[in-house]
Amino acid sequence: MLDAIDRKIIEATQAGLPLTPEPYQTIAEKLHLTADEVMARLSAMQDSGIIRRIGAVPNHYKLGYRYNGMTVWDLPDDKIDELGQQVGQLEFVSHCYHRPRHLPDWPYNLFAMVHGKTQADVDRQIKQIADLLGGYNRGCDVLYSTKILKKTGFRSRPSNSTGS
């Protein structure tokens, strides 16, 4: 469970760490804490699973990865965990999820997002996934991104908000 200080640390970092030479010190000064306390609390929240990770989130469009496809696959349910783990470990797959089917219209149960600098890159990646899945692949499709509508992580409501 979050206490008031943890909540303030989350609020201070949810849009990203400050772009300063000492970001934890910047946060600490804002919250009247020490940098060691901020880091210890973030570490504890990570250990408890409240925070999954602390890391850079690159803008793949600015890095030249303009071709993005959400691949969807129809796999046998008794193989989904094993095959999903293998697909999720491919270096070009950024997101990989097991999702429920919605029959009869949507037979797909594995989603894997791929990124490439060219359409040919994405096509090669999709073929690599298809080759990995082999005879277990009962069908697939690709939903290509055409624009970014929103790209942010989870945002909590400020702790002093009344909610109205």
Side-chain angles (χ1 to χ4, degrees):
M1 195 67 177
L2 292 176
D3 67 15
I5 294 173
D6 288 343
R7 182 170 293 282
K8 287 181 181 183
I9 292 171
I10 288 174
E11 290 170 9
T13 59
Q14 64 187 353
L17 292 175
L19 296 177
T20 62
E22 298 181 56
Y24 297 108
Q25 181 64 37
T26 302
I27 296 165
E29 289 171 5
K30 179 179 176 182
L31 301 178
H32 308 290
L33 302 169
T34 67
D36 287 342
E37 186 174 6
V38 169
M39 289 187 284
R41 283 177 172 267
L42 284 169
S43 181
M45 287 189 274
Q46 211 172 350
D47 290 345
S48 69
I50 292 171
I51 294 173
R52 282 189 288 177
R53 64 185 178 91
I54 298 171
V57 180
N59 181 329
H60 60 276
Y61 278 88
K62 289 190 176 182
L63 294 172
Y65 292 90
R66 301 194 180 273
Y67 295 86
N68 310 290
M70 177 59 79
T71 63
V72 292
W73 306 87
D74 177 13
L75 303 178
D77 290 328
D78 65 337
K79 293 289 184 185
I80 191 77
D81 290 339
E82 172 190 344
L83 294 170
Q85 287 288 330
Q86 292 176 28
V87 170
Q89 291 176 359
L90 296 170
E91 68 179 27
F92 53 83
V93 172
S94 64
H95 305 72
C96 187
Y97 301 99
H98 174 199
R99 296 281 192 226
R101 305 170 198 280
H102 293 280
L103 298 173
D105 299 322
W106 190 259
Y108 308 110
N109 58 350
L110 183 75
F111 291 49
M113 188 73 180
V114 299
H115 307 275
K117 292 184 176 180
T118 66
Q119 181 68 52
D121 290 343
V122 172
D123 292 344
R124 275 191 296 275
Q125 293 165 349
I126 294 167
K127 182 176 183 326
Q128 189 174 340
I129 294 172
D131 290 347
L132 183 152
L133 298 174
Y136 295 115
N137 176 15
R138 300 185 301 203
C140 68
D141 206 341
V142 183
L143 311 170
Y144 289 100
S145 300
T146 56
K147 63 173 81 170
I148 297 173
L149 300 177
K150 180 181 179 186
K151 190 167 187 161
T152 62
F154 168 78
R155 298 284 190 267
S156 69
R157 185 179 307 179
S159 56
N160 60 357
S161 172
T162 61
S164 57

